[in-house]
Amino acid sequence: MSALFNFQSLLLVILLLICTCAYLHQIFPTILDRNKQGLMGIFWKAARIGERLSPYISLCCVFMAASVFIGN
């Protein structure tokens, strides 16, 4: 089943995207800062969400990891 049709997998993909973009923005800030608009702007917005909501994002990652661990 595709991650787009399974809600838990979709949330996991979104969380991984946010975490990855926030990490890349810390390492290479110019790559995401020059692409604030258009299709590549999604990654810049995800990095901003990851930076500003990092405690909540990390809690969501812990909950998702626990649900995957308990579910299997």
Side-chain angles (χ1 to χ4, degrees), residues 2-72:
S2 175
L4 297 176
F5 299 116
N6 187 353
F7 185 68
Q8 185 176 1
S9 297
L10 178 65
L11 286 178
L12 185 63
V13 168
I14 291 171
L15 280 173
L16 287 174
L17 176 74
I18 290 172
C19 293
T20 304
C21 289
Y23 178 75
L24 286 177
H25 191 260
Q26 289 288 324
I27 303 296
F28 307 110
T30 56
I31 291 175
L32 292 177
D33 285 342
R34 68 180 138 164
N35 296 320
K36 292 182 182 179
Q37 309 230 335
L39 186 61
M40 296 297 286
I42 294 171
F43 301 116
W44 180 78
K45 290 175 187 175
R48 290 310 236 179
I49 291 170
E51 291 170 355
R52 294 183 181 184
L53 298 175
S54 61
Y56 299 113
I57 296 297
S58 63
L59 283 175
C60 289
C61 287
V62 168
F63 287 139
M64 288 298 290
S67 69
V68 168
F69 180 70
I70 292 171
N72 290 335

